[in-house]
Amino acid sequence: MQLHLRTNVRQNYRQVFEAFDEQLFRKLAPPYPTLKLLRFDGSEPGDVVEVELQTGVKSFRWTSLITERTITDSEAYFVDEGQVLPPPLKLWHHKHLVTALGAGATIHDIINYSTGNKLLDLLLYPLMVAQFSMRKPVYRKIFGRL
């Protein structure tokens, strides 16, 4: 299942892309489940990000590996792929793409996920949209509204 959310911001795409660091990662964390950051290497290929999702009842590990990073004259992106995922996820591929938009930029969250069950993927879709839509006001607060 694919989810593609876009947020237009005021800053230049390179400035926005370079701001994807541990501080921004923490600000983008959803209110639930809470995230305990265990490891954050960065956004270069080979870097690892590891969190513990804390639901209040049970905790789950989530480990992602950065597999790609590219910067061109009009866009920049990196990809994180899930290595250890919480149930029911079996596949996670998240492309963090920032494209030029005049003097500003568009931040794209392009997520491909799978539970291995198409019905369950469909049921999770509204939750995924809700979770990642929470990033929009954070992006706009940090990078300016366009």
Side-chain angles (χ1 to χ4, degrees):
M1 177 76 49
Q2 185 178 77
L3 166 67
H4 186 169
L5 295 174
R6 297 166 186 85
T7 308
N8 295 334
V9 295
R10 185 172 296 142
Q11 289 185 28
N12 173 278
Y13 82 101
R14 289 291 297 265
Q15 290 173 302
V16 173
F17 184 72
E18 295 302 329
F20 275 82
D21 59 10
E22 182 178 337
Q23 183 180 358
L24 180 60
F25 181 84
R26 289 179 184 276
K27 288 178 181 175
L28 293 172
Y32 184 84
T34 56
L35 298 184
K36 179 179 178 184
L37 185 59
L38 304 174
R39 178 177 174 181
F40 186 95
D41 295 346
S43 61
E44 296 284 343
D47 287 350
V48 172
V49 177
E50 184 174 8
V51 299
E52 185 176 271
L53 301 173
Q54 299 174 330
T55 67
V57 177
K58 188 167 169 85
S59 296
F60 301 95
R61 287 282 172 110
W62 185 316
T63 304
S64 284
L65 175 67
I66 307 303
T67 58
E68 297 177 55
R69 180 181 168 106
T70 299
I71 300 172
T72 71
D73 291 338
S74 60
E75 67 179 37
Y77 71 89
F78 67 93
V79 173
D80 74 83
E81 294 188 25
Q83 305 298 296
V84 176
L85 297 168
L89 292 174
K90 299 208 183 308
L91 172 96
W92 183 264
H93 181 277
H94 183 181
K95 185 174 186 176
H96 306 258
L97 171 66
V98 184
T99 56
L101 180 65
T106 302
I107 302 169
H108 305 256
D109 283 297
I110 305 168
I111 299 155
N112 288 287
Y113 70 92
S114 177
T115 62
N117 179 304
K118 290 185 185 210
L119 179 59
L120 186 53
D121 290 349
L122 285 169
L123 290 172
L124 281 178
Y125 189 82
L127 176 63
M128 293 289 186
V129 170
Q131 287 279 12
F132 281 89
S133 290
M134 287 185 217
R135 291 177 168 219
K136 288 176 171 275
V138 176
Y139 287 148
R140 289 180 181 130
K141 180 178 180 183
I142 294 169
F143 303 118
R145 181 179 295 274
L146 189 63

